[in-house]
Amino acid sequence: MSGVPTTTEPIAFIDLAAQQARLGDRVEAAIHRVLEHGRFILGPEVADLEAQLAAYAGVRHVVTCASGTDALLMALLARGIGSGDAVIVPTFTFAATAEVVALVGATPVFADVLADTCNIDPAKLPAALHAARGAGVTPRAVIAVDLYGQPAEYDEIEAFCAEYDLWLVADAAQSFGATWRGRKAGAIGDVACTSFFPAKPLGCYGDGGAIFTDDEELAGVLRSLRVHGQGANKYDNVRVGLNGRLDTIQAAVLLEKLAIFGEEVAARDRVAQRYINALTGIVDVPSVRTEATTVWAQFTVTVDDRDEVAAALDDAGVPTAVYYPVPLHQQPAYVSYPTASDGLAVSERLATRVLSLPMHPYLDTDTQDRIVDAVRGAVGHGG
Ligand SMILES: *Cc1c(COP(=O)(O)O)cnc(C)c1O
């Protein structure tokens, strides 16, 4: 903006090094404590983290696991969803949302999303239900995704699920820390799943995930599933499960990060509001429902000529990302699954227009001004 001498500093899309600097040696000390007690599998930090996550989200039970994908997979396994069953999912999401449905032998049925929030369009759910029945499979569940960190339209989704006796799974992989009518992500849905992949708002230093529920029986099944379907012990196998545990070292890392997470969520929101103020009228900025708060896992704008804009930003040293370039119903692995008969045009159009800008709690105002200037220039509003 004003010839600030930092213009050649590389810009991070997500700056985990800044977070590490903020945490100081607390993470290393936490990891060291695990090295000393040596309980690497389901050690005390895992139970401690589960209790703290449950308190944070306001749910009775949290079962941590090896990834967000395993969280979704274990939820479906725990519910007994499999061959002959259908699960309605948005097509504009990360592959894992539909992948787990196919992995358990059930049929993902793709529904379109809303053009402004990019979350599943509740008005398209009846057509998806119809498509499932038409394909000869029994609708059992809906997986709603809280894309970019904003909860889906849960009022209407919950009502739909109640009417048709469908199980509601919240894919909260991107939204831990967000709210819908004051309820935290994790406490929304019959079960909610999140991811601690490093780039998620609450990330560890590897893979990790968690499942949230108020249902004690379900929580018990989930705990069994993550240790090979164990009964009284690991060598008593009462169901088919998997090795789905979160490492103790990752739990120790997450406990330290959770301690500053509330401040980071607030900082993310400040960064996002600043982007919105500067970019409104330049590009289509994200819209947040009055019922919702978002955790800004991504700050995603929509633009015409997205690829040209991304290339111009790259030339200006501004990293961007496209989530997602191809909707799942157009992916080779998923083309043969049913889709809601009223089309998936919104998702197809979004896939050509979305562009995510650098977003993290430590994005300073000078760097953000450079990004904003570059966006103005890239879309032809530069001065
Ligand atoms: C990241 C993500 C997942 C999967 O989480 P992993 O921890 O990477 O397995 C699932 N769904 C959505 C929407 C995601 O963004």
Side-chain angles (χ1 to χ4, degrees):
M1 267 196 160
S2 52
V4 191
T6 54
T7 44
T8 53
E9 292 277 312
I11 295 175
F13 187 70
I14 291 172
D15 195 346
L16 292 175
Q19 184 193 50
Q20 235 170 48
R22 156 88 199 278
L23 284 163
D25 47 22
R26 275 179 283 167
V27 170
E28 277 162 55
I31 292 172
H32 194 75
R33 285 195 294 276
V34 178
L35 297 183
E36 295 211 308
H37 69 56
R39 293 169 63 189
F40 301 114
I41 303 296
L42 298 180
E45 285 82 356
V46 175
D48 192 5
L49 176 68
E50 289 176 344
Q52 290 198 27
L53 290 170
Y56 184 97
V59 296
R60 290 208 185 87
H61 306 282
V62 170
V63 179
T64 55
C65 59
S67 68
T69 306
D70 274 2
L72 291 163
L73 179 64
M74 287 163 58
L76 296 183
L77 286 171
R79 186 70 173 177
I81 291 172
S83 177
D85 296 332
V87 178
I88 299 170
V89 298
T91 185
F92 195 64
T93 179
F94 183 60
T97 311
E99 180 180 53
V100 293
V101 178
L103 272 178
V104 300
T107 302
V109 178
F110 294 109
D112 210 354
V113 299
L114 294 159
D116 54 355
T117 63
C118 308
N119 281 327
I120 196 165
D121 183 348
K124 301 294 174 66
L125 292 171
L129 195 76
H130 189 73
R133 288 179 179 146
V137 280
T138 308
R140 294 278 312 276
V142 172
I143 305 181
V145 179
D146 303 339
L147 207 71
Y148 307 143
Q150 177 171 193
E153 316 289 305
Y154 282 107
D155 295 357
E156 290 154 276
I157 297 168
E158 283 175 339
F160 181 83
C161 287
E163 183 172 351
Y164 293 99
D165 196 21
L166 299 169
W167 203 51
L168 177 56
V169 181
D171 181 345
Q174 301 181 10
S175 65
F176 187 67
T179 61
W180 179 263
R181 291 192 188 278
R183 278 189 292 163
K184 285 234 169 66
I188 306 165
D190 294 304
V191 68
C193 301
T194 200
S195 164
F196 303 125
F197 183 80
K200 308 284 172 158
L202 179 62
C204 58
Y205 290 143
D207 280 306
I211 310 158
F212 302 73
T213 187
D214 282 332
D215 182 337
E216 183 166 359
E217 197 182 325
L218 185 80
V221 175
L222 291 166
R223 286 181 201 285
S224 162
L225 281 170
R226 78 172 168 188
V227 189
H228 306 288
Q230 74 172 11
N233 63 64
K234 179 156 59 160
Y235 305 106
D236 172 31
N237 307 112
V238 297
R239 56 178 61 81
V240 176
L242 64 158
N243 174 355
R245 300 171 295 243
L246 177 74
D247 290 344
T248 308
I249 284 181
Q250 298 302 345
V253 169
L254 284 163
L255 281 167
E256 298 307 319
K257 290 202 184 191
L258 188 58
I260 61 164
F261 185 60
E263 284 167 41
E264 290 191 336
V265 171
R268 283 176 173 281
D269 200 50
R270 282 195 296 276
V271 170
Q273 296 311 328
R274 228 172 153 269
Y275 267 141
I276 290 172
N277 291 339
L279 293 174
T280 297
I282 308 295
V283 292
D284 287 333
V285 297
S287 66
V288 181
R289 292 280 183 266
T290 54
E291 299 92 335
T293 62
T294 168
V295 72
W296 301 109
Q298 302 296 336
F299 187 88
T300 304
V301 301
T302 51
V303 286
D304 296 329
D305 306 321
R306 188 264 322 280
D307 294 342
E308 286 78 359
V309 172
L313 288 171
D314 188 49
D315 286 345
V318 174
T320 60
V322 173
Y323 304 110
Y324 297 90
V326 182
L328 294 183
H329 71 280
Q330 295 180 323
Q331 294 279 3
Y334 300 100
V335 279
S336 60
Y337 289 109
T339 60
S341 60
D342 50 359
L344 300 164
V346 175
S347 299
E348 289 171 13
R349 183 169 148 80
L350 280 171
T352 67
R353 290 173 49 84
V354 289
L355 188 64
S356 300
L357 302 179
M359 165 52 80
H360 59 84
Y362 305 98
L363 189 60
D364 63 80
T365 55
D366 284 350
T367 307
Q368 197 176 15
D369 289 343
R370 279 175 60 199
I371 296 166
V372 166
D373 280 353
V375 172
R376 296 175 77 100
V379 300
H381 284 76

Coordinates of all heavy atoms in Angstrom, one line a residue, residues 66-70 72 93-94 96-97 145 147 171 173-174 194-197 200 207-209 324, ligand 1:
A66 N -7.7 -41.4 14.7 CA -6.5 -41.2 14.0 C -6.6 -40.1 12.9 O -5.5 -39.6 12.4 CB -6.0 -42.5 13.3
S67 N -7.8 -39.7 12.5 CA -7.9 -38.7 11.4 C -9.4 -38.3 11.4 O -10.3 -39.0 11.9 CB -7.5 -39.2 10.1 OG -8.4 -40.2 9.6
G68 N -9.6 -37.2 10.6 CA -11.0 -36.8 10.4 C -11.8 -37.9 9.6 O -12.9 -38.1 9.7
T69 N -11.0 -38.5 8.6 CA -11.6 -39.5 7.8 C -12.0 -40.7 8.7 O -13.1 -41.2 8.5 CB -10.6 -39.9 6.7 OG1 -10.2 -38.8 6.0 CG2 -11.2 -40.9 5.7
D70 N -11.1 -41.1 9.6 CA -11.5 -42.2 10.5 C -12.7 -41.9 11.3 O -13.5 -42.7 11.7 CB -10.3 -42.6 11.3 CG -9.4 -43.6 10.6 OD1 -9.7 -44.0 9.5 OD2 -8.4 -44.1 11.3
L72 N -15.3 -40.0 10.6 CA -16.5 -40.2 9.8 C -16.7 -41.7 9.5 O -17.8 -42.2 9.6 CB -16.3 -39.5 8.4 CG -16.3 -38.0 8.5 CD1 -15.8 -37.4 7.1 CD2 -17.7 -37.5 8.7
T93 N -17.3 -30.8 -1.7 CA -16.6 -31.1 -0.4 C -15.4 -31.8 -0.7 O -15.1 -32.2 -1.8 CB -17.6 -31.9 0.5 OG1 -16.9 -32.1 1.8 CG2 -17.9 -33.2 0.0
F94 N -14.6 -32.1 0.4 CA -13.4 -32.9 0.3 C -13.8 -34.4 0.2 O -14.9 -34.8 0.7 CB -12.6 -32.7 1.6 CG -11.3 -33.5 1.6 CD1 -10.3 -33.2 0.7 CD2 -11.1 -34.4 2.6 CE1 -9.1 -33.9 0.7 CE2 -9.8 -35.1 2.7 CZ -8.9 -34.9 1.7
A96 N -13.2 -37.1 1.4 CA -13.4 -38.0 2.6 C -14.9 -38.1 2.9 O -15.3 -39.2 3.4 CB -12.6 -37.5 3.8
T97 N -15.6 -37.1 2.7 CA -17.0 -37.0 3.1 C -17.8 -38.2 2.4 O -18.6 -38.8 3.0 CB -17.7 -35.7 2.7 OG1 -16.9 -34.6 3.2 CG2 -19.1 -35.6 3.3
V145 N -21.7 -30.9 5.7 CA -20.3 -30.5 5.8 C -20.4 -29.0 6.1 O -21.1 -28.2 5.5 CB -19.5 -30.7 4.5 CG1 -18.1 -30.2 4.6 CG2 -19.6 -32.2 4.1
L147 N -18.5 -26.3 5.4 CA -17.4 -25.9 4.5 C -16.8 -24.6 4.9 O -17.5 -23.6 5.2 CB -17.9 -25.9 3.1 CG -16.8 -26.2 2.1 CD1 -16.4 -27.7 2.1 CD2 -17.2 -25.8 0.7
D171 N -20.1 -33.2 9.4 CA -18.7 -33.2 9.1 C -18.1 -31.9 9.4 O -18.2 -30.9 8.6 CB -18.5 -33.5 7.6 CG -17.0 -33.6 7.2 OD1 -16.2 -33.1 8.0 OD2 -16.7 -34.1 6.0
A173 N -15.1 -31.2 10.1 CA -13.6 -31.2 10.0 C -13.0 -29.8 9.9 O -11.9 -29.6 10.3 CB -13.2 -32.0 8.7
Q174 N -13.8 -28.9 9.3 CA -13.3 -27.5 9.1 C -13.8 -26.5 10.1 O -13.4 -25.4 10.1 CB -13.6 -27.0 7.7 CG -13.0 -27.9 6.6 CD -13.3 -27.5 5.2 OE1 -13.8 -26.4 4.9 NE2 -13.0 -28.4 4.2
T194 N -14.6 -34.2 13.6 CA -13.6 -33.2 13.2 C -12.3 -33.8 12.9 O -12.0 -35.0 13.2 CB -13.5 -32.0 14.3 OG1 -13.0 -30.9 13.6 CG2 -12.7 -32.4 15.5
S195 N -11.4 -32.9 12.4 CA -10.1 -33.3 12.0 C -9.0 -32.4 12.6 O -9.3 -31.2 12.8 CB -10.0 -33.2 10.4 OG -8.6 -33.2 10.0
F196 N -7.9 -33.0 13.0 CA -6.8 -32.2 13.5 C -5.6 -32.2 12.6 O -4.5 -32.0 13.0 CB -6.4 -32.7 14.9 CG -7.5 -32.8 15.9 CD1 -7.8 -33.9 16.6 CD2 -8.2 -31.6 16.2 CE1 -8.8 -34.0 17.5 CE2 -9.2 -31.6 17.1 CZ -9.5 -32.8 17.8
F197 N -5.9 -32.4 11.3 CA -4.9 -32.3 10.2 C -4.2 -30.9 10.5 O -4.9 -29.9 10.8 CB -5.6 -32.3 8.9 CG -4.7 -32.2 7.7 CD1 -4.0 -33.4 7.2 CD2 -4.5 -31.0 7.0 CE1 -3.2 -33.3 6.1 CE2 -3.7 -31.0 5.9 CZ -3.0 -32.1 5.5
K200 N -5.9 -27.6 9.6 CA -7.3 -27.2 10.1 C -7.2 -26.2 11.2 O -6.1 -26.0 11.8 CB -8.0 -28.5 10.6 CG -8.0 -29.6 9.6 CD -9.0 -29.5 8.5 CE -8.8 -30.6 7.5 NZ -9.9 -31.0 6.7
D207 N -1.5 -36.5 11.8 CA -3.0 -36.7 11.6 C -3.7 -37.0 12.9 O -3.1 -37.5 13.9 CB -3.2 -38.0 10.7 CG -3.0 -37.7 9.2 OD1 -3.6 -36.8 8.7 OD2 -2.1 -38.4 8.6
G208 N -4.9 -36.5 12.9 CA -5.7 -36.8 14.1 C -7.2 -36.4 13.9 O -7.5 -35.7 12.9
G209 N -8.1 -36.8 14.7 CA -9.5 -36.5 14.6 C -10.2 -36.8 15.9 O -9.7 -37.3 16.8
Y324 N -13.1 -26.6 -4.0 CA -12.4 -27.7 -4.6 C -12.5 -27.6 -6.1 O -13.6 -27.1 -6.6 CB -13.1 -29.0 -4.1 CG -12.9 -29.1 -2.6 CD1 -13.8 -28.6 -1.7 CD2 -11.7 -29.7 -2.1 CE1 -13.6 -28.6 -0.4 CE2 -11.5 -29.8 -0.7 CZ -12.5 -29.2 0.1 OH -12.3 -29.3 1.5
Ligands
LIG1 C1 -10.0 -32.4 6.2 C2 -11.4 -32.9 5.9 C3 -11.7 -34.3 6.2 C4 -10.8 -35.3 6.5 O1 -9.9 -35.1 7.6 P1 -8.5 -35.8 7.6 O2 -8.1 -35.6 9.1 O3 -7.6 -35.2 6.7 O4 -8.7 -37.3 7.4 C5 -13.1 -34.6 6.0 N1 -14.0 -33.7 5.6 C6 -13.7 -32.5 5.3 C7 -14.8 -31.5 4.9 C8 -12.4 -32.0 5.5 O5 -12.1 -30.7 5.2

